[in-house]
Amino acid sequence: IILAQTKCQTLDKGFAPVLLLDEVVAHLDEFKREALLSKIKELELQAWITSTDPYLFTSLQNEAQFFEVKNNQLIEKPL
């Protein structure tokens, strides 16, 4: 539903919203996780996706920026 709304908003407004997805990939199996990440790439939008397991994003290692929050600081961290 969120991705469909995002696509509709992009078509209607002419620009994509920023997606904020908190711990969503932890609840998906490998195939559904990759489908979600692929759809986000297809929509060409900015998405912030949180996870406690950075290795769930290995398929994006050459296409995304990765950050870690440590001691109240945001640190860019390669995967």
Side-chain angles (χ1 to χ4, degrees):
I1 292 172
I2 291 171
L3 294 177
Q5 174 61 30
T6 299
K7 186 172 184 175
C8 288
Q9 182 176 340
T10 302
L11 293 171
D12 183 52
K13 305 278 187 197
F15 61 91
V18 176
L19 282 185
L20 304 173
L21 303 174
D22 186 29
E23 277 297 329
V24 80
V25 294
H27 303 285
L28 302 174
D29 64 31
E30 179 182 354
F31 298 108
K32 290 181 180 163
R33 181 178 63 246
E34 291 306 317
L36 172 65
L37 298 176
S38 176
K39 190 64 174 177
I40 290 170
K41 288 190 297 187
E42 180 184 313
L43 290 170
E44 297 181 347
L45 52 84
Q46 181 181 20
W48 287 77
I49 310 170
T50 65
S51 178
T52 57
D53 184 358
Y55 298 105
L56 295 175
F57 301 101
T58 55
S59 66
L60 297 176
Q61 64 186 350
N62 296 320
E63 301 178 70
Q65 287 180 282
F66 295 89
F67 298 93
E68 178 180 354
V69 178
K70 190 170 186 176
N71 297 323
N72 294 319
Q73 292 186 344
L74 188 64
I75 303 161
E76 187 169 5
K77 188 171 190 173
L79 189 60

